[in-house]
C-alpha cells in the first residue's frame, strides 16, 4: 500500500487473474510461441480489456483512459506480458489516439476514439514513400483541396497491416514552402475510399504484413484533416515520439528472454557441454541487465508524458536500445535452435515437431526490420547526437 492508498500487490494479482481468465488460451499460445499476430488476436484481447474498463492505460480518464499511476501502468504491461497476452495494437492506442486527443476536433474525437478503445477500428500508418523514408519530409503524395474534399494522388510503401486496416493516418503534401517540412498535412483516410489500392509485400520471413498503398484521385472529406493545413510535420513528430517509446517493448522482451532461458535449460539438460551452456547463459544475463536499464528509461519517459514534460531524445535512445536488444535475443534463439531448422526449412515447413525452431528462424529474419521500422538506428543515433552535441555532420 502506498501513500495514495493503492495496494500494488493486490492490483498485480487482479491483472494476472483477469489476463488468465479473459485472454483466450489459443491467443496466449500464439504469443507464448512468439508467433505472428493478426487483427483477430489483437482485437479479442482489446475487447476484453474494454469490457473491464482497461482499454487505454495511457489515456486520460476523460477520454476513456484508466487513470492509473506510473507504477500501475507498468504492472499492467508486465503482467499482461507475463501471462502471454498480446500487446495492445499500437497504431490506434499509442499513435493516432493521442494525436486526435491533442490536435483533433471534437467531431474527430467523437468519431474515432470509441472505435480505438473498443478494438473495432484498425489503423495503419501512411508515412513512408519510395525515396522518402529516413528523409520523410521529402514526401510527395499530394492532396489537393476541392470544395469540401481533399483529392489524394501518390504512393505509400512499407505500410504495416494496411491489408487488415480500416483507416490510415497519412502524411500528404498540401503545399510547398521554403523548407520541405512546410506544406505537409495529416489526413485520416478510410481505406475503402474509391481510388485506393493495396498491394502486398512479402518479406524474407515469409509473412505478409507490409503493403504498398496507391492513391489515384482518392477523395476524402476535408473534415478528416488533423490540426491545421500545413501543420502535419509537427503532428507527425509528436506521433513518432510515442511510437519510439512504446511502453510494452521492455516487458515483452523480458518475457521472450524468460522463454529463451527455459529453452537453454531444456537444450542442455542432458548435455555435458558446460562451456556451450555457460556461453548462452552469459549472453542472456547481459541482456537481462541491459533490459533493466531500458526499463528505467521507459518509466522516466512515461512519467514525462503523464506530466506533460518534453521527451527530448529519450524516445530515440529507447528505440535504439530496444531494437538492438530484440535482435540480440532472437540471435540467441536462432543460434540455439534455429540454424539447424533454417537450413532444412523447405523440407520441414508445417512439421509440428519443429515448429518452435521455425518460429526462431522467422523471428531472426523478421527482427532484422526492428532497427529500420519507426526510423532506422542511424537516424536515432543522429537524433541522440544532436541532443548531446548540438549538431551532426552530414
Ligand atoms: C518491418 C517494417 C515495418 C514498417 N512499417 C511502416 C509503416 O507501418 N508505415 C510507414 O510509413 N513506414 C513503415 N516502415 C518504413 C520505415 O519507416 C522505413 O523503412 C525507414 O524509415 C527507412 O526508410 P527507407 O526504407 O526509405 O530507407 P532509407 O531512408 O533509404 O535508408 C537507407 C539507409 O541509409 C541510412 N540513412 C539514411 N539517411 C541517413 C542519415 N541522414 N544519416 C545516417 N544514415 C542514413 C539508413 O539508416 C539506412 O541504413 C516499416 C519498415 C519496416 C522494416
Amino acid at each position: 500500500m502506498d501513500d495514495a492508498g493503492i495496494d500494488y500487490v493486490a492490483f498485480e494479482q487482479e491483472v494476472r487473474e483477469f489476463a488468465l481468465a479473459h485472454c483466450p488460451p489459443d491467443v496466449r499460445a500464439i504469443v507464448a510461441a512468439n508467433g505472428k499476430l493478426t487483427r483477430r488476436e489483437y482485437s479479442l484481447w482489446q475487447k476484453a480489456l474494454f469490457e473491464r474498463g482497461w482499454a487505454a492505460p495511457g489515456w486520460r480518464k476523460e477520454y476513456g483512459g484508466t487513470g492509473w499511476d506510473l507504477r500501475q501502468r507498468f504492472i499492467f504491461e508486465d503482467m499482461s506480458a507475463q501471462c502471454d497476452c498480446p500487446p495492445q495494437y499500437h497504431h490506434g492506442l499509442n499513435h493516432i489516439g493521442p494525436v486526435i486527443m491533442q490536435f483533433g476536433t471534437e467531431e474527430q474525437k467523437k468519431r474515432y476514439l470509441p472505435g480505438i478503445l473498443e478494438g473495432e477500428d484498425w489503423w495503419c500508418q501512411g508515412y513512408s514513400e519510395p525515396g522518402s523514408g529516413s528523409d520523410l519530409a521529402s514526401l510527395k503524395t499530394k492532396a489537393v483541396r476541392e470544395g469540401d474534399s481533399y483529392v489524394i494522388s501518390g504512393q505509400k510503401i512499407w505500410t504495416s497491416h494496411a491489408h487488415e486496416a480500416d483507416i490510415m493516418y497519412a502524411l500528404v503534401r498540401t503545399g510547398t514552402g521554403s523548407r520541405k517540412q512546410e506544406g505537409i498535412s495529416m489526413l485520416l483516410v478510410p481505406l475503402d475510399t474509391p481510388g485506393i489500392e493495396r498491394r502486398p509485400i512479402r518479406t524474407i520471413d515469409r509473412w505478409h504484413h507490409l503493403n504498398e498503398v496507391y492513391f489515384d484521385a482518392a477523395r476524402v472529406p476535408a473534415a478528416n484533416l488533423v490540426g491545421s493545413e500545413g501543420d502535419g510535420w509537427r503532428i507527425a513528430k509528436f506521433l513518432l515520439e510515442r511510437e519510439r517509446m512504446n511502453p510494452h517493448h521492455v516487458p515483452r522482451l523480458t518475457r521472450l528472454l524468460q522463454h529463451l532461458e527455459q529453452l537453454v535449460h531444456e537444450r542442455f539438460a542432458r548435455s555435458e557441454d558446460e562451456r556451450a551452456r555457460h556461453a548462452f547463459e552469459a549472453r542472456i544475463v547481459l541482456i537481462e541487465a541491459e533490459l533493466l536499464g531500458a526499463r528505467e528509461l521507459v518509466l522516466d519517459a512515461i512519467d514525462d508524458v503523464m506530466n506533460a514534460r518534453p521527451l527530448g531524445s529519450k524516445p530515440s535512445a529507447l528505440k535504439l536500445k530496444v531494437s538492438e536488444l530484440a535482435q540480440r535475443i532472437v540471435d540467441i534463439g536462432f543460434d540455439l535452435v534455429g540454424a539447424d531448422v533454417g537450413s532444412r526449412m523447405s523440407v520441414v515447413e508445417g512439421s509440428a515437431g519443429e515448429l518452435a525452431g521455425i518460429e526462431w528462424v522467422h523471428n531472426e529474419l523478421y527482427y532484422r526490420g526492428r532497427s529500420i521500422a519507426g526510423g532506422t538506428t542511424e537516424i536515432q543515433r543522429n537524433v541522440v547526437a544532436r541532443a548531446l552535441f548540438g549538431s551532426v555532420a552530414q
Side-chain angles (χ1 to χ4, degrees), residues 13-25 28 45 79-80 82-85 255:
Q13 184 62 18
E14 190 184 355
V15 176
R16 178 190 290 278
E17 282 170 9
F18 179 81
L20 294 176
H22 295 276
C23 187
R28 287 196 287 117
W45 179 225
M79 274 306 111
S80 43
Q82 287 295 318
C83 295
D84 296 318
C85 304
R255 181 67 176 151

Side-chain angles (χ1 to χ4, degrees), residues 91 125-128 133-134 157-160 209-210 369 372-376 378-379 382 394:
H91 280 295
Q125 177 182 68
Y127 275 25
S128 306
S134 302
I157 195 167
W158 313 122
T159 321
S160 302
H209 97 287
L210 296 179
I372 302 172
T376 67
E378 290 76 15
I379 294 302
N382 285 350
Q394 292 296 317

Side-chain angles (χ1 to χ4, degrees), residues 109-125:
K109 290 175 190 171
K110 271 195 219 113
R111 160 69 186 83
Y112 297 111
L113 297 182
I116 296 173
L117 288 170
E118 291 164 32
E120 286 293 335
D121 288 341
W122 192 257
W123 291 80
C124 66
Q125 177 182 68

Side-chain angles (χ1 to χ4, degrees), residues 14-15 17 39 81 114 161 178 233 260 277 324 327 351 375 393:
E14 190 184 355
V15 176
E17 282 170 9
R39 179 170 179 163
H161 302 287
S178 52
W233 188 248
L260 201 54
R277 180 164 65 84
E324 184 219 323
Q327 290 175 342
S351 139

Side-chain angles (χ1 to χ4, degrees), residues 21 82 216 285:
Q82 287 295 318
D216 181 10
V285 166

Side-chain angles (χ1 to χ4, degrees), residues 314-386:
K314 280 175 203 165
S316 289
L318 260 169
K319 163 75 176 47
L320 255 179
K321 192 70 206 166
V322 162
S323 315
E324 184 219 323
L325 290 175
Q327 290 175 342
R328 277 166 54 197
I329 292 173
V330 293
D331 283 350
I332 299 175
F334 183 76
D335 290 349
L336 197 63
V337 294
D340 179 44
V341 174
S343 65
R344 292 177 289 118
M345 246 173 87
S346 57
V347 183
V348 299
E349 195 88 21
S351 139
E354 306 221 21
L355 260 182
I358 292 175
E359 280 306 340
W360 286 105
V361 176
H362 283 183
N363 284 322
E364 175 71 4
L365 298 171
Y366 173 63
Y367 275 47
R368 295 306 98 195
R370 288 199 60 158
S371 47
I372 302 172
T376 67
T377 281
E378 290 76 15
I379 294 302
Q380 308 317 315
R381 288 204 178 110
N382 285 350
V383 173
V384 173
R386 217 173 275 127

Side-chain angles (χ1 to χ4, degrees), residues 183-196:
I184 292 174
S185 301
M186 182 180 280
L187 282 176
L188 308 179
V189 184
L191 288 170
D192 58 1
T193 304
I196 297 180

